[in-house]
């Protein structure tokens, strides 16, 4: 427990770790120094990321909104705009790159990679956590965050329905109801766009003790444990990713650089995100629009570990957002995420200013580390 407190206290001594900021780079230096102290070979992999996700969403949401506004007069133009915006919406929230994303200016960030173990061992187990922290938004206000999933579903329905609503104007002349429907939809989506502008103009980055200082603390504590207790059949690798909060750009950078060289049969990635408060869960999959199942082998191992020693750790279908793990999952890598949620299945203090070390529940991180040790050992045992 002493090491856990020491690691997290050091990380959150920074006011925040916003994507591509100097503070994020300083945090990367903390992690690099600790891994070297634990005897790991360390290298820092640079990549480029937008400093915020807001502008990309604003672009494709504005395409849909504009399409709905012009649809009553120009149905085909409106439908094309809505279709392009809806396609970008789908790809973005399914964790994929978009054409609109190419329009956003990007800045340097970095992943911190740690490596320990003989290269001739059969398996490689990556322990992953993102170390950047998010910018707050009115969407995450304690009075609003309980409606986050419902708001997203409403936006999704409106966006996906917009091409059909727009093109109906080609077949229905003078339909007042059509104009009213299109403009109501446009007004609702316009409100979401204004909320994103408000986020960029008036909110600041949060400290991020739980999201995701807790996850980084967990993988560093695990790194120390397996430095002191080497595995028989597996190499341990550490991935501390930057810019997860802006679209998992660190995880994408890892996949771009190393994805083709991974042995998919013998590579495992365990991702730790928000494990500092609440009840620990192992995820069986994730997805905001499409649900992506995690590897059945890892899910079975997680269930077996839970049944044997951690009966309070339950499975979870995670649909509230996406994790860095999704970028690996889309490349067919065996991946799983661990997260802790409150009694309402929500992340405590999610993307809000109360995400500070005062609201950390230290036994939750300690239990996460213990569960992580058991999980890694379960993977290592089978050859």
């Amino acid at each position: 427990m002493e090491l856990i407190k020491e690691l997290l206290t050091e990380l959150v001594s920074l006011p925040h770790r916003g994507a591509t900021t100097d503070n994020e780079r300083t945090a990367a230096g903390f992690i690099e120094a600790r891994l070297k102290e634990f005897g790991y070979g360390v290298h820092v992999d640079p990549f480029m990321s937008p400093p915020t996700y807001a502008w990309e969403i604003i672009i494709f949401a504005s395409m849909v909104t504009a399409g709905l506004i012009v649809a009553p007069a120009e149905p085909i133009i409106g439908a094309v705009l809505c279709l392009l915006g809806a396609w970008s919406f789908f790809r973005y929230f399914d964790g994929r790159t978009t054409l609109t994303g190419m329009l956003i200016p990007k800045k340097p960030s970095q992943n911190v990679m740690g490596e320990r173990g003989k290269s001739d061992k059969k398996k490689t187990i990556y322990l992953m956590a993102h170390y950047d922290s998010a910018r707050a938004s009115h969407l995450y206000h304690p009075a609003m965050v309980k409606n986050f999933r419902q708001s997203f579903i409403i936006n999704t329905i409106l966006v996906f329905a917009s091409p059909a609503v727009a093109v109906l104007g080609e077949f229905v002349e003078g339909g007042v109801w059509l104009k009213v429907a299109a403009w109501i939809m446009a007004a609702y989506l316009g409100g979401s766009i204004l909320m994103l502008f408000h986020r960029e103009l008036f909110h600041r980055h949060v400290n991020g003790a739980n999201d995701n200082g807790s996850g980084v603390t967990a993988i560093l504590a695990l790194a120390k444990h397996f430095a002191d207790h080497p595995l028989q059949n597996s190499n341990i690798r550490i991935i501390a990713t930057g810019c997860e909060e802006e679209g998992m750009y660190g995880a994408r950078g890892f996949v771009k650089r190393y994805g083709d060289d991974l042995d998919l049969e013998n590579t495992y990635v365990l991702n730790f995100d928000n494990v500092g408060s609440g009840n620990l869960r192992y995820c069986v999959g994730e997805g905001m629009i499409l649900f992506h199942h995690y590897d059945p082998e890892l899910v079975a191992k997680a269930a077996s570990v839970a049944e044997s020693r951690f009966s309070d750790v339950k499975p979870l279908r995670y649909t509230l957002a996406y994790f860095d793990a999704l970028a690996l999952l889309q490349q067919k890598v065996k991946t799983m995420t661990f997260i802790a949620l409150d009694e309402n299945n929500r992340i405590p203090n999610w993307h809000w200013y109360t995400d500070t070390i005062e609201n950390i529940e230290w036994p939750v991180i300690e239990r996460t580390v213990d569960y992580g040790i058991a999980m890694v050992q379960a993977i290592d045992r089978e050859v």
Side-chain angles (χ1 to χ4, degrees), residues 52 170 187 193 284 311 351 367:
T52 176
E170 186 73 4
I193 293 169
V284 300
S311 59
H351 293 184
R367 190 153 183 78

Side-chain angles (χ1 to χ4, degrees), residues 7-15 17 30 207-210 213 357:
L7 291 169
L8 184 55
T9 300
E10 179 179 54
L11 197 62
V12 302
S13 63
L14 297 165
R17 304 177 303 280
F30 288 169
N207 181 253
N210 186 37
I357 199 167

Side-chain angles (χ1 to χ4, degrees), residues 202-312:
F202 297 105
H203 281 290
R204 64 185 189 276
H205 291 100
V206 304
N207 181 253
N210 186 37
D211 189 7
N212 187 32
S214 63
V216 174
T217 297
I219 66 168
L220 288 176
L222 287 166
K224 177 66 165 64
H225 175 86
F226 289 113
D228 296 339
H229 305 87
L231 297 167
Q232 183 175 353
N233 304 303
S234 307
N235 300 309
I236 288 291
R237 302 285 184 265
I238 305 298
I239 319 173
T241 59
C243 299
E244 185 268 356
E245 299 289 3
E246 310 311 332
M248 57 184 190
Y249 275 84
R252 289 178 183 175
F254 172 83
V255 168
K256 184 177 180 180
R257 180 165 296 197
Y258 301 106
D260 291 341
D261 299 325
L262 296 177
D263 175 2
L264 297 181
E265 185 63 30
N266 295 299
T267 298
Y268 303 81
V269 178
L270 304 182
N271 181 48
F272 297 81
D273 203 336
N274 286 276
V275 293
S277 180
N279 304 303
L280 182 62
R281 312 289 291 274
Y282 65 89
C283 297
V284 300
E286 61 174 286
M288 298 182 74
I289 298 177
L290 300 179
F291 190 78
H292 302 269
H293 293 272
Y294 287 158
D295 178 70
E297 176 190 350
L298 279 179
V299 172
K301 280 183 170 58
S304 177
V305 169
E307 288 170 6
S308 64
R309 291 177 48 196
F310 301 87
S311 59
D312 57 318

